[in-house]
C-alpha cells in the first residue's frame, strides 16, 4: 500500500482545501474544499475558475478526485459516471508521483489535477484539448507507453510493456529496448529505473494482463 506525503505543502498552497476525515490511526482519508484555478496557456488563454472537490485517499489505487460542485458537465468525455475525474492511466500517475511506495500529493495535484481543469475549460471554449487527448481503455495504455518511451507504433509499445514487466536488474550497457540503438544509460535509464519500484512494477503487470485479455 502506498503512503501519501506532502499534505502540508498541498494545503498551504491551496488553503481552501482541508483534510475532512481521518482514519482510526489519524491518517487522512479525504481532502475536500474549494479549489480556485488561475492558469494560462501559450499566454493567450487565461482562466480563473472555482471548483468544489473531494479527494479520496483510501478506496482507490491512486488518489481519486471528484468534482462535487456540479461545475463539470456530465457529458464531458473524461469524467466517470460517479463524477470522478479521469486524470490519466494509473501507471502514468504512479510513474510521475510515486517513489518507493511514497506518493507525492503535491506533484499529483500540480501535474494532473490542475491540467485536467484547465483542459476542461479550454475544451469548453475551443472544442480542442490544449495538451492533446489519449484514448480510453487499452488503446490509451499503449499510447502512454508510446509517449513516455518515444515508441513509433503499438506493437513496440506492447513489446516494451512485456520487457518492463520482467526487468529485474538494471544493466545500463545493453541496448535500450525502445529501438533507438543507444545504450540504456544514454537513453531511457530514468524511466526504466522507475519500473523497479514494486508498486509500479505491479501496475505494469496489471497493464499487461489487461492487454492480454483485451479488456
Amino acid at each position: 500500500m502506498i503512503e501519501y506525503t506532502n499534505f502540508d505543502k498541498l494545503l498551504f498552497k491551496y488553503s481552501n482545501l482541508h483534510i475532512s476525515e481521518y482514519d482510526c490511526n489519524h491518517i487522512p482519508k479525504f481532502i475536500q474544499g474549494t479549489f480556485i484555478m488561475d492558469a494560462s496557456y501559450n499566454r493567450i488563454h487565461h482562466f480563473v475558475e472555482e471548483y468544489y472537490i473531494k479527494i479520496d485517499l483510501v478506496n482507490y489505487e491512486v488518489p481519486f478526485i471528484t468534482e462535487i460542485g456540479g461545475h463539470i458537465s456530465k457529458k464531458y468525455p473524461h469524467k466517470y459516471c460517479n463524477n470522478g475525474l479521469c486524470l490519466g492511466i494509473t501507471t502514468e500517475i504512479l510513474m510521475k508521483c510515486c517513489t518507493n511506495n511514497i506518493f507525492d500529493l503535491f506533484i499529483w495535484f500540480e501535474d494532473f489535477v490542475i491540467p485536467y481543469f484547465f483542459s476542461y475549460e479550454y475544451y469548453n471554449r475551443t472544442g480542442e484539448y490544449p495538451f492533446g487527448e489519449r484514448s480510453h481503455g487499452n488503446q490509451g495504455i499503449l499510447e502512454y507507453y508510446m509517449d513516455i518511451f518515444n515508441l513509433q507504433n503499438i506493437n513496440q509499445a506492447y513489446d516494451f510493456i512485456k520487457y518492463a514487466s520482467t526487468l529485474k536488474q538494471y544493466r545500463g550497457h545493453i541496448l535500450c529496448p525502445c529501438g533507438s540503438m543507444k545504450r540504456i544509460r544514454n537513453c531511457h535509464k530514468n524511466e526504466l529505473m522507475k519500473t523497479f519500484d514494486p508498486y509500479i512494477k505491479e501496475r505494469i503487470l496489471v497493464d499487461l494482463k489487461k492487454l492480454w485479455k483485451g479488456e
Side-chain angles (χ1 to χ4, degrees):
M1 184 174 181
I2 58 176
E3 176 184 343
Y4 293 108
T5 189
N6 263 339
F7 285 96
D8 292 344
K9 189 175 182 180
L10 175 66
L11 300 181
F12 177 78
K13 183 169 182 179
Y14 304 101
S15 57
N16 290 321
L17 299 178
H18 63 279
I19 298 170
S20 59
E21 187 177 341
Y22 294 85
D23 68 9
C24 58
N25 296 313
H26 203 65
I27 297 173
K29 293 175 64 176
F30 297 98
I31 295 173
Q32 192 166 330
T34 301
F35 162 60
I36 299 174
M37 180 190 68
D38 185 344
S40 59
Y41 177 68
N42 281 349
R43 300 181 181 179
I44 299 174
H45 294 85
H46 181 243
F47 305 133
V48 180
E49 298 289 343
E50 182 176 301
Y51 313 91
Y52 191 58
I53 61 177
K54 185 174 184 180
I55 301 169
D56 185 337
L57 304 173
V58 178
N59 299 306
Y60 298 88
E61 192 171 0
V62 295
F64 186 80
I65 181 171
T66 52
E67 191 278 312
I68 54 181
H71 187 106
I72 295 183
S73 170
K74 291 182 179 179
K75 295 181 180 179
Y76 187 57
H78 297 286
K79 183 179 181 181
Y80 302 118
C81 58
N82 61 356
N83 289 327
L85 310 184
C86 180
L87 305 183
I89 70 167
T90 301
T91 312
E92 177 180 14
I93 294 171
L94 288 172
M95 288 279 281
K96 183 73 175 183
C97 305
C98 189
T99 303
N100 297 324
N101 286 18
I102 304 297
F103 190 99
D104 193 312
L105 279 171
F106 185 79
I107 290 177
W108 170 76
F109 201 89
E110 294 269 303
D111 288 6
F112 290 95
V113 176
I114 295 176
Y116 177 94
F117 286 122
F118 185 89
S119 292
Y120 173 75
E121 300 299 341
Y122 190 97
Y123 177 81
N124 268 356
R125 290 161 174 79
T126 68
E128 299 177 352
Y129 294 98
F131 315 117
E133 180 188 20
R134 274 205 203 104
S135 305
H136 294 283
N138 286 351
Q139 182 72 18
I141 292 173
L142 290 166
E143 288 171 2
Y144 164 67
Y145 284 94
M146 288 172 67
D147 287 345
I148 194 172
F149 294 111
N150 301 318
L151 305 174
Q152 301 303 310
N153 58 63
I154 286 176
N155 289 334
Q156 276 188 318
Y158 184 73
D159 290 342
F160 203 98
I161 295 170
K162 289 194 292 185
Y163 179 86
S165 69
T166 58
L167 189 62
K168 292 181 170 42
Q169 183 179 0
Y170 171 69
R171 295 179 178 175
H173 65 284
I174 66 174
L175 293 179
C176 187
C178 74
S180 66
M181 301 307 293
K182 296 180 181 178
R183 301 191 187 280
I184 288 178
R185 60 172 171 256
N186 298 320
C187 197
H188 286 103
K189 173 185 175 181
N190 293 336
E191 291 84 357
L192 283 170
M193 289 296 286
K194 290 283 287 185
T195 68
F196 289 113
D197 185 304
Y199 207 77
I200 294 174
K201 180 75 74 180
E202 182 180 340
R203 185 63 220 182
I204 293 173
L205 285 168
V206 170
D207 289 342
L208 187 59
K209 289 176 182 177
K210 282 185 177 181
L211 295 171
W212 277 341
K213 293 179 181 179
E215 295 177 354

